[in-house]
């Protein structure tokens, strides 16, 4: 499954309602089907910790380390990488 | 008749001026608003505060009247920032309309996610920032205003305003609501003793009003205020949060002191005051001047590490296992 994030969130990804929708409608379904999910952050300048948390924290907590093999984060700039790393690190025990 | 006195100056450094001669009780249905007769200089935190008080007076059904000295020199500034309109008065003087671009965001109401989306999209043209250098500013607006929308239960939504000092490259922000306040928001899921304790918990990473679980739930990490405080700390600026009868103020870290992102706000270089006149809502004020995205990216790394240390039992890092391509 391929998700072009900027088509949903614009170039500043901050709307948690949209993050929740992507998580529920795409990421969880892909993970349940053991299907690879590619989140493409091309053309997204930045985001917020809250947005990235709403996007992936729950699936990391529930699925554990193995979801990192299913999720691919494409075209992330340094800010987005930092936020994803932060959220993954605290979500996985 | 209750009285509200708007003093000569309210800023983050002299925030206590706000309480001079005021109790904010407004229990008898009528309020007289008096301005300092000569000059009123208000940081956005002051403007946002009076906008929230105006919401509170509307909720209580109070009638209010104001006394303004028309020769007061700051009337044009206060008028452009929308203070008189927010207080329900007509603009006292005729002024030339200045384009907002590059200078300020007047008091604006944000009540829902759609309004916040529009507001965030308009920040760059208004503040003369651009997509490349406004990450920190947008991060702060988004985190605080989403808190208002999601947790405050404010009947009239949130109030936000900002000024930009181009010379110092500093943006000053004030955000307020006349909602349930931090104590009432947190008491649902946490043991909270008083307003000061509620502020400490709200600033502690991993504590969210939405759940009793440390680290939050699917939608809330309990990190928004912590990140915002750290963004202010990183550039040695003020950050203030006032709710109920207490406020926390991150003071400007002296240059000879190392900047630290403390999970416990009591460890910060700060001042805490309690037993103040009661404010039925929440007010946040912050100054930031991060225009360098590289600095912001590093900052997010550092804040993220501090957050993780505050929340997580294990310190294992997964960076190498995340599939970036």
């Amino acid at each position: 499954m391929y998700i072009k994030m900027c088509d949903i969130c614009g170039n500043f990804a901050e709307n948690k309602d949209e993050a929740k929708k992507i998580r529920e409608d795409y990421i969880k379904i892909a993970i349940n089907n053991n299907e690879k999910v590619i989140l493409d952050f091309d053309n997204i300048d930045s985001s917020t910790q809250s947005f990235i948390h709403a996007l992936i924290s729950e699936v990391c907590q529930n699925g554990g380390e193995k979801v990192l093999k299913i999720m691919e984060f494409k075209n992330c700039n340094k800010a987005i990488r930092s936020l994803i790393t932060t959220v993954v690190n605290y979500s996985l025990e | 008749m209750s009285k509200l006195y708007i003093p000569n100056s309210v800023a983050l450094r002299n925030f206590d001026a706000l309480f001079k001669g005021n109790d904010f009780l407004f229990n008898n249905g009528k309020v007289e608003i008096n301005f300092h007769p000569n000059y009123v200089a208000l940081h956005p935190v002051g403007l946002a505060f009076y906008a929230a008080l105006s919401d509170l007076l509307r909720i209580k059904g109070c009638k209010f009247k104001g006394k303004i000295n028309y020769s007061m020199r700051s009337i044009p500034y206060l008028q452009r920032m929308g203070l008189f309109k927010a207080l329900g008065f007509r603009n006292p003087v005729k002024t030339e309309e200045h384009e907002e671009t590059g200078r300020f965001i007047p008091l604006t109401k944000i009540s829902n996610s759609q309004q916040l989306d529009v507001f965030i999209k308009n920040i760059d043209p208004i503040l003369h920032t651009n997509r490349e250098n406004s990450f920190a500013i947008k991060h702060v607006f988004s985190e605080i205003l989403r808190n208002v929308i999601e947790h405050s239960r404010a009947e009239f939504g949130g109030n936000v305003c900002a000024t930009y000092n181009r010379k110092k490259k500093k943006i000053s922000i004030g955000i307020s609501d006349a909602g349930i306040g931090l104590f009432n928001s947190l008491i649902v899921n946490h043991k909270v003793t008083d307003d000061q304790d509620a502020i400490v918990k709200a600033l502690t990473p991993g504590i969210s009003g939405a759940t009793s679980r440390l680290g939050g739930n699917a939608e809330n990490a309990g990190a928004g205020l912590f990140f915002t405080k750290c963004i202010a700390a990183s550039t040695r600026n003020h950050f203030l949060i006032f709710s109920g009868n207490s406020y926390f103020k991150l003071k400007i870290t002296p240059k000879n002191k190392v900047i630290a992102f403390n999970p416990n706000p009591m460890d910060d270089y700060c001042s805490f005051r309690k037993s103040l006149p009661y404010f039925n809502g929440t007010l946040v004020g912050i100054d930031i001047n991060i225009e360098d995205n590289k600095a912001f990216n590093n900052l997010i790394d550092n804040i993220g590490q501090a957050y993780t240390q505050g929340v997580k039992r294990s310190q294992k890092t997964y960076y190498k296992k995340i599939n970036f391509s």
Side-chain angles (χ1 to χ4, degrees):
Chain A
M1 188 179 286
Y2 174 85
I3 303 155
K4 178 91 173 155
M5 296 293 289
C6 81
D7 288 349
I8 303 169
C9 315
N11 50 46
F12 182 68
E14 64 82 34
N15 188 330
K16 285 162 68 180
D17 300 332
E18 286 165 354
K20 183 183 175 184
K21 192 169 167 48
I22 295 167
R23 183 189 75 218
E24 295 295 322
D25 294 354
Y26 301 106
I27 300 176
K28 277 189 176 177
I29 291 169
I31 288 173
N32 285 340
N33 295 335
N34 210 21
E35 184 189 342
K36 182 133 189 137
V37 54
I38 299 168
L39 300 165
D40 188 346
F41 286 83
D42 185 35
N43 210 28
I44 294 203
D45 303 327
S46 189
S47 182
T48 62
Q49 178 274 337
S50 293
F51 178 90
I52 301 294
H53 176 94
L55 187 71
I56 60 168
S57 182
E58 190 190 36
V59 292
C60 289
Q61 284 174 35
N62 293 343
E65 207 175 319
K66 68 173 190 285
V67 298
L68 297 181
K69 289 179 182 161
I70 296 173
M71 288 193 290
E72 181 179 330
F73 303 97
K74 201 172 176 184
N75 294 315
C76 300
N77 64 20
K78 178 76 167 55
I80 310 275
R81 276 180 185 233
S82 297
L83 290 165
I84 290 170
T85 305
T86 295
V87 173
V88 169
N89 276 342
Y90 69 67
S91 300
L92 292 173
E93 279 292 347
Chain B
M1 182 179 287
S2 302
K3 290 196 174 182
L4 171 66
Y5 175 66
I6 299 183
N8 179 237
S9 166
V10 177
L12 293 172
R13 68 186 150 71
N14 69 341
F15 188 70
D16 288 5
L18 198 80
F19 307 107
K20 202 172 165 186
N22 286 316
D23 58 20
F24 310 139
L25 288 176
F26 314 126
N27 279 337
N28 52 12
K30 285 181 183 172
V31 182
E32 185 181 276
I33 302 174
N34 291 293
F35 293 79
H36 185 279
N38 299 326
Y39 197 87
V40 174
L42 295 181
H43 180 284
V45 76
L47 292 160
F49 178 71
Y50 293 118
L53 278 194
S54 175
D55 290 345
L56 188 64
L57 295 175
R58 286 163 69 198
I59 291 165
K60 288 187 168 195
C62 290
K63 288 181 178 171
F64 43 108
K65 60 177 188 176
K67 275 187 184 171
I68 302 169
N69 173 4
Y70 282 78
S71 62
M72 188 171 76
R73 282 177 296 137
S74 48
I75 284 180
Y77 165 76
L78 299 174
Q79 188 163 306
R80 279 186 208 114
M81 290 304 290
L83 179 69
F84 301 114
K85 207 172 139 192
L87 290 171
F89 300 133
R90 266 177 293 180
N91 282 332
V93 294
K94 276 197 170 182
T95 54
E96 279 181 41
E97 288 293 321
H98 288 257
E99 203 184 336
E100 291 166 15
T101 305
R103 302 192 309 150
F104 62 91
I105 298 172
L107 280 163
T108 304
K109 283 261 176 230
I110 304 288
S111 300
N112 56 47
S113 198
Q114 290 72 32
Q115 289 174 353
L116 177 56
D117 282 349
V118 173
F119 178 77
I120 298 266
K121 282 191 181 94
N122 287 329
I123 285 172
D124 285 332
I126 290 178
L127 293 178
H128 269 199
T129 49
N130 58 55
R131 280 174 57 183
E132 308 305 320
N133 67 6
S134 57
F135 294 175
I137 296 165
K138 288 175 183 165
H139 200 281
V140 168
F141 277 122
S142 173
E143 293 287 13
I144 305 299
L145 286 166
R146 287 221 170 267
N147 276 351
V148 174
I149 293 166
E150 291 174 17
H151 304 296
S152 75
R153 290 193 236 158
E155 191 176 331
F156 296 111
N159 304 287
V160 56
C161 64
T163 55
Y164 181 61
N165 184 325
R166 209 175 295 178
K167 209 172 170 183
K168 292 181 180 170
K169 292 186 173 176
K170 181 182 284 191
I171 179 164
S172 300
I173 297 168
I175 296 173
S176 67
D177 66 75
I180 59 173
L182 294 176
F183 180 87
N184 290 318
S185 176
L186 285 163
I187 194 79
V188 178
N189 283 306
H190 300 275
K191 195 182 167 193
V192 189
T193 52
D194 56 16
D195 290 313
Q196 185 177 36
D197 188 38
I199 291 174
V200 170
K201 287 195 165 64
L203 290 169
T204 302
I207 295 180
S208 164
T211 174
S212 57
R213 186 180 174 276
L214 181 68
N217 59 16
E219 276 85 43
N220 295 279
L225 281 171
F226 174 69
F227 267 66
T228 305
K229 184 195 74 172
C230 293
I231 288 171
S234 72
T235 49
R236 300 178 193 275
N237 277 307
H238 283 113
F239 165 86
L240 178 138
I241 184 160
F242 173 36
S243 185
N245 69 6
S246 301
Y247 77 71
F248 165 92
K249 182 165 74 175
L250 181 76
K251 296 200 282 192
I252 294 175
T253 312
K255 286 191 175 161
N256 61 354
K257 261 183 165 279
V258 177
I259 291 164
F261 300 141
N262 298 305
N264 183 349
M266 301 300 258
D267 295 335
D268 284 324
Y269 186 66
C270 67
S271 60
F272 234 128
R273 285 203 65 197
K274 60 193 289 188
S275 306
L276 296 163
Y278 191 83
F279 169 49
N280 208 122
T282 307
L283 173 73
V284 172
I286 181 172
D287 289 339
I288 51 172
N289 54 356
I290 298 178
E291 284 199 330
D292 176 356
N293 277 347
K294 202 175 164 190
F296 181 66
N297 294 341
N298 291 333
L299 174 65
I300 289 293
D301 269 347
N302 294 334
I303 299 172
Q305 281 165 22
Y307 177 88
T308 305
Q309 280 163 17
V311 171
K312 213 178 141 186
R313 289 190 296 274
S314 141
Q315 296 306 311
K316 191 175 171 186
T317 179
Y318 293 87
Y319 180 75
K320 286 182 182 169
K321 293 187 177 176
I322 302 172
N323 194 353
F324 289 118
S325 60

